[in-house]
C-alpha cells in the first residue's frame, strides 16, 4: 500500500532526484563515515530510488526501517549503511551526504539517489 506523500515533500524529492540523476556517472566524493551516517539518517525518511525502483522508508533511531507495507533493520559500519529486509541477506552501501541529498554507492558506482526528510511524515 502506498501512502500519499505531502506535495511539498514530493516536489522537493523529485527536484533533488532529478538533479542527482545528472551526476550518476560521477565518481564518489568523500563518503560518510559511521557517526556521520547515523547522525544524518536516524529519525529521517528517505525518498528516492535505487536506479530502477523508487521508494520511501523511515529510519527509526532504534534501527528499524518502516516502509508502506514492509519493515527491516538498518545499522552503520565504519564506512557504510547496511540494510536487512525479511530473510534476505544484509546489504551495505557507502553514502555520500550533501545536506539532505544522499547518493548511495555499491562497488564504487552510484546505485541510488534520494533525499532525507525530517521525521516520519508518512506515519510508517
Amino acid at each position: 500500500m502506498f501512502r500519499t506523500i505531502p506535495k511539498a515533500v514530493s516536489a522537493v524529492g523529485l527536484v533533488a532526484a532529478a538533479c542527482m540523476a545528472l551526476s550518476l556517472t560521477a565518481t564518489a566524493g568523500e563518503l560518510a563515515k559511521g557517526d556521520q551516517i547515523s547522525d544524518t539518517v536516524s529519525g529521517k525518511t528517505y525518498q528516492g530510488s535505487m536506479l530502477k525502483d523508487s521508494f520511501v522508508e523511515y529510519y527509526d533511531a532504534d534501527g528499524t526501517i518502516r516502509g508502506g507495507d514492509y519493515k527491516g533493520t538498518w545499522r552503520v559500519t565504519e564506512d557504510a549503511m547496511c540494510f536487512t529486509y525479511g530473510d534476505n541477506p544484509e546489504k551495505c552501501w557507502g553514502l555520500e551526504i550533501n545536506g539532505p541529498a544522499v547518493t548511495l554507492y555499491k562497488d564504487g558506482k552510484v546505485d541510488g539517489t534520494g533525499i532525507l526528510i525530517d521525521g516520519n511524515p508518512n506515519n510508517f
Side-chain angles (χ1 to χ4, degrees), residues 23-30 96 105 108-110:
S23 66
L24 288 179
T25 58
T27 58
E30 188 170 326
E96 182 178 7
Y105 287 86
K109 297 179 184 173
V110 173

Side-chain angles (χ1 to χ4, degrees), residues 40-71:
T40 301
V41 304
S42 183
K44 302 262 186 358
T45 295
Y46 176 89
Q47 178 181 326
S49 67
M50 297 302 290
L51 298 185
K52 294 181 182 178
D53 300 317
S54 62
F55 62 96
V56 178
E57 57 189 20
Y58 173 68
Y59 304 125
D60 199 315
D62 69 2
T64 302
I65 298 170
R66 293 195 300 271
D69 59 355
Y70 63 91
K71 288 186 179 181

